[in-house]
Amino acid sequence: MAHAVADLRSILTTDALDTAARDDVLRFLTGVGDLYRQVEATLVIGTGVIEKRSASAERFDVSSDCRSANEVLQRTTGAAPTTVKRWSRLSSTIKPERTLASGEVRAAEFPALREALTTGAIGADGLEAATRPLREIKDRVDPADLAEVDDVLAAMATTSGAPVMCDTLRDASLRLATELDITGPELEEEQAMRGRSLRIGVKRNGLVPIQGNLMVETAGALSVLLDSINNPHGKPAGVKFRPSDGEDDSTDVRTMAQRNHDALATILAAVPGAPDLPLNGGNAPVLVIHATEETVRTGAGWASIPGADGTGTDVPVPFAAAEHVGCCGTVQRLASAANGKIIKLTVASRVFNTDQRRVIIARDRSCVIPGCHTPARWCEIHHVTEWANGGKTDVSNGVLICWHHHRFLERMGWAIRMNDGVPEVRPPDWIDPIQAWHPTGPRAVARPKRGA
Ligand SMILES: [Zn+2]
């Protein structure tokens, strides 16, 4: 392993890395890293040379039977066109001093970072990290200041024997660029004012795409809310019934993107209840879902939400969505006969009032699904016995539950019941093969009662 880099082929064709001591592996990787940065530097500088010679009377590309300098590099190195484009962009970032046709001498750009590249202190990633924030501002700041930043960043990369991490370079470059860029804030404000947007697309495969560009503070406000819903105690969510056996039985299988979606849904469900929102025809803006009497009776098939997507028309949605929104009271449910005549309008009767909500919060504290931890203020109240089946809007029939667990409760295989006025849950069989009912909330630490 000691002379590993010189003998890469033998390393790659044997299990030498699998069996080597840790220090040897680290030394080997450090050596390969040195080599990697030098190779990248050569390709970046080389790309600049091939492009220059292709643009000159020599026509390096044409005389090599290629249509472009990019193709020359693809053919000679096996790299993808996008990789060659990246080398090209980086090489143009660090142009050497040159004499133009007019005789004018153009100063080198980022000469110190160029030297850090050519001496192998940084590779393509390091160069990109260091120069990207500076490329944006270089035309509106004093060249002398820019040269100073170039020196500082190059020194960061060369003073230590170990390679500097790209994130360190990027952070430093961004910080220095921000300090230099005095006109930046005004310019950015103008760009943000023009560019801000949020568009709701057209439903496809059961989903409605959204697209847009948020202003930084808007994105920040959203991020704070998403974080507070997704990770209220800084702990990963997951069900733990056997805390002492050391097994990782975390069951929240949602991706981060899915969790963000559910958190946004949670926020949107909370908004209509906020005071002083603009009214819509004298009422708080509520989501209206249409379903036929037949659909409501069978609990299956399609419902529709008027104006849910960018088309502004009635958008079909599985009845499960109607059942969920119909349970928590920020909606009206409209049942109509086949001829379109409205036969049932469901609204206030299934909304838990403030006093009831307060009592339920005191009892359940957070989402009743174990391990969820979504705080009470972000929870909905679920009718344990469905309103349609005669369940009352009463504290003895309402439990705190987060948007995600409410929406997919049955699909995920959870069951909830009230036992002597307190909620109990039964997990899906893949979480709890015994299928016991478990107490919830502050009582969840107690042992589960088998089949009780
Ligand atoms: Zn939950």
Side-chain angles (χ1 to χ4, degrees), residues 197-201 208-214:
S197 65
L198 182 65
R199 292 185 191 85
I200 297 181
V208 177
I210 61 168
Q211 193 192 43
N213 286 297
L214 300 184

Side-chain angles (χ1 to χ4, degrees), residues 367 369 372 374 401-402 405:
C367 174
I369 300 300
C372 177
T374 299
I401 193 163
C402 73
H405 284 118

Side-chain angles (χ1 to χ4, degrees), residues 87-100:
W87 295 338
S88 165
R89 190 180 67 241
L90 288 170
S91 96
S92 73
T93 303
I94 48 163
K95 284 189 190 118
E97 182 188 276
R98 60 199 190 281
T99 311
L100 303 181

Side-chain angles (χ1 to χ4, degrees), residues 97-435:
E97 182 188 276
R98 60 199 190 281
T99 311
L100 303 181
S102 59
E104 182 194 349
V105 177
R106 181 75 51 91
E109 282 170 22
F110 304 116
L113 283 167
R114 182 186 169 87
E115 197 184 329
L117 181 78
T118 53
T119 56
I122 55 173
D125 287 341
L127 184 64
E128 176 95 60
T131 54
R132 178 180 282 224
L134 303 176
R135 283 205 299 266
E136 268 181 41
I137 63 158
K138 75 182 171 81
D139 293 332
R140 52 178 194 260
V141 301
D142 186 340
D145 288 338
L146 210 56
E148 210 172 298
V149 172
D150 177 40
D151 284 338
V152 170
L153 294 174
M156 284 177 67
T158 49
T159 42
S160 154
V164 65
M165 285 174 68
C166 285
D167 285 350
T168 310
L169 270 182
R170 184 180 299 110
D171 287 352
S173 177
L174 194 61
R175 192 167 40 78
L176 293 165
T178 308
E179 271 171 31
L180 280 187
D181 189 19
I182 308 160
T183 55
E186 205 179 317
L187 197 77
E188 194 168 292
E189 179 77 355
E190 229 179 272
Q191 284 170 345
M193 196 176 80
R194 271 199 309 270
R196 73 196 195 282
S197 65
L198 182 65
R199 292 185 191 85
I200 297 181
V202 175
K203 180 189 162 191
R204 198 168 160 226
N205 298 327
L207 296 166
V208 177
I210 61 168
Q211 193 192 43
N213 286 297
L214 300 184
M215 291 179 69
V216 177
E217 69 269 37
T218 310
L222 182 60
S223 299
V224 166
L225 282 173
L226 296 181
D227 286 351
S228 83
I229 294 168
N230 279 333
N231 202 6
H233 308 302
K235 284 185 285 195
V239 183
K240 301 271 184 223
F241 287 125
R242 301 181 301 274
S244 57
D245 63 8
E247 264 181 60
D248 180 15
D249 51 357
S250 163
T251 56
D252 194 339
V253 293
R254 290 177 295 166
T255 63
M256 201 58 224
Q258 287 170 335
R259 292 165 64 92
N260 281 342
H261 169 278
D262 296 354
L264 180 62
T266 303
I267 295 163
L268 296 177
V271 170
D276 302 329
L277 268 186
L279 296 180
N280 190 351
N283 295 305
V286 291
L287 176 62
V288 177
I289 295 197
H290 290 186
T292 64
E293 190 190 12
E294 171 73 4
T295 311
V296 174
R297 194 174 53 74
T298 57
W302 294 99
S304 68
I305 302 181
D309 75 1
T311 60
T313 58
D314 274 18
V315 182
V317 64
F319 186 66
E323 271 187 311
H324 170 221
V325 285
C327 185
C328 47
T330 56
V331 288
Q332 296 173 332
R333 191 158 87 183
L334 206 62
S336 58
N339 65 3
K341 181 183 154 203
I342 294 169
I343 55 176
K344 192 159 83 179
L345 176 67
T346 306
V347 62
S349 54
R350 52 175 52 207
V351 182
F352 287 86
N353 67 34
T354 315
D355 289 335
Q356 291 171 320
R357 193 177 161 86
R358 202 172 290 138
V359 173
I360 293 171
I361 286 173
R363 185 192 64 205
D364 297 346
R365 310 284 176 83
S366 61
C367 174
V368 292
I369 300 300
C372 177
H373 305 305
T374 299
R377 67 177 177 283
W378 291 121
C379 282
E380 305 179 345
I381 297 179
H382 168 61
H383 289 73
V384 176
T385 301
E386 263 189 75
W387 192 84
N389 294 339
K392 292 199 174 75
T393 299
D394 188 291
V395 291
S396 64
N397 189 42
V399 295
L400 277 188
I401 193 163
C402 73
W403 184 92
H404 160 237
H405 284 118
H406 202 183
R407 180 69 175 80
F408 302 115
L409 191 70
E410 277 179 42
R411 180 163 285 267
M412 290 191 295
W414 287 93
I416 302 179
R417 73 175 184 188
M418 298 304 284
N419 187 2
D420 200 17
V422 293
E424 293 184 340
V425 296
R426 192 183 61 207
D429 55 9
W430 62 274
I431 293 179
D432 181 9
I434 300 167
Q435 288 286 282

Side-chain angles (χ1 to χ4, degrees), residues 1-20 24-25 27-29 32:
M1 287 296 293
H3 308 289
V5 175
D7 197 12
L8 274 181
R9 198 170 302 233
S10 77
I11 299 285
L12 292 174
T13 52
T14 64
D15 63 352
L17 269 183
D18 282 330
T19 52
D24 285 342
V25 174
R27 247 195 310 277
F28 170 73
L29 290 175
V32 173

Side-chain angles (χ1 to χ4, degrees), residues 16-55:
L17 269 183
D18 282 330
T19 52
R22 195 189 61 159
D23 283 358
D24 285 342
V25 174
L26 293 177
R27 247 195 310 277
F28 170 73
L29 290 175
T30 306
V32 173
D34 282 342
L35 199 61
Y36 174 64
R37 293 192 303 279
Q38 286 174 46
V39 169
E40 280 197 318
T42 313
L43 289 167
V44 169
I45 305 277
T47 301
V49 172
I50 299 300
E51 285 179 334
K52 196 175 86 186
R53 291 180 60 173
S54 294

